Amino acid sequence: CTYIVEVRDPRTYSWSTYVSGLPGKNIGLRLVNGRRLVSSDTSVQLRNLNLNHIYAVRVRAENDFGVSD
């Protein structure tokens, strides 16, 4: 199983892939300020975010059967 991290643009509400193919049993997401949201064996650091926007982030699992909702 691998993971896909997607970020939704606050202006267009469209999802885009930030990174894909992340290996690991669990995934952690960490903001640029270093605050860890989930502890895990895999982590992603989001960069180049605008401080004046509110972003939505989702993590999806991908395996031989497809991508999770």
Side-chain angles (χ1 to χ4, degrees):
C1 178
T2 61
Y3 294 97
I4 302 165
V5 176
E6 298 175 326
V7 177
R8 188 174 71 191
D9 187 303
R11 296 163 294 178
T12 64
Y13 294 99
S14 62
W15 289 98
S16 61
T17 300
Y18 187 79
V19 66
S20 63
L22 292 170
K25 295 180 182 177
N26 299 303
I27 189 166
L29 194 56
R30 190 170 39 162
L31 301 178
V32 173
N33 66 7
R35 181 174 165 232
R36 193 174 196 100
L37 300 178
V38 177
S39 116
S40 70
D41 58 356
T42 302
S43 64
V44 174
Q45 194 172 73
L46 302 177
R47 298 178 184 270
N48 301 320
L49 299 178
N50 187 323
L51 293 176
N52 298 319
H53 291 130
I54 297 173
Y55 292 88
V57 177
R58 68 182 175 190
V59 178
R60 301 170 77 192
E62 183 174 29
N63 59 26
D64 293 337
F65 298 102
V67 178
S68 66
D69 291 334

